[in-house]
Amino acid sequence: MAKATYWQRGETLDFTNNATGATKIPANTIVALSGMIGVAGTDIDVGETGSLHVSGVYEMPKSSNAAIAQGAAVYWDGSGITGTATSNTPAGYAAAAAGASDTVILVKLLG
């Protein structure tokens, strides 16, 4: 029988900034991972490991001109949150409704 060993709560994950050059990831930056996003908990210098929040509700920029209903799946397009899945990274779901003219949206992360 396979067994697992508890590692951590999973609200944050260790993340190493492997960017080339002098690209520090500032705290509160949205970071796309494979299949989800996280939010940098602190500044993460190049080559350093910091924390990414992968749980919780965050106010994020909304790039879509469409209304998004509470509970709808939402995606990160590299500049903001959209309801369009194609070619975008899953972000979570809308924690509150956002109107077409809203520039921000509350997002419950997938974690």
Side-chain angles (χ1 to χ4, degrees):
M1 176 184 298
K3 293 187 178 186
T5 301
Y6 179 82
W7 187 258
Q8 67 185 35
R9 290 178 58 148
E11 294 154 345
T12 62
L13 299 176
D14 292 339
F15 178 79
T16 302
N17 180 357
N18 289 321
T20 56
T23 307
K24 173 172 60 174
I25 299 171
N28 299 314
T29 298
I30 299 167
V31 177
L33 302 171
S34 296
M36 64 185 291
I37 63 169
V39 178
T42 60
D43 292 348
I44 308 172
D45 289 319
V46 174
E48 297 295 319
T49 300
S51 63
L52 281 187
H53 296 274
V54 292
S55 180
V57 176
Y58 290 84
E59 183 179 79
M60 297 184 173
K62 181 175 159 278
S63 61
S64 169
N65 289 340
I68 299 176
Q70 184 176 28
V74 293
Y75 305 86
W76 174 248
D77 69 7
S79 63
I81 296 295
T82 179
T84 303
T86 307
S87 300
N88 295 317
T89 305
Y93 61 85
S101 63
D102 289 339
T103 58
V104 295
I105 185 170
L106 292 176
V107 175
K108 167 64 174 92
L109 299 180
L110 286 174

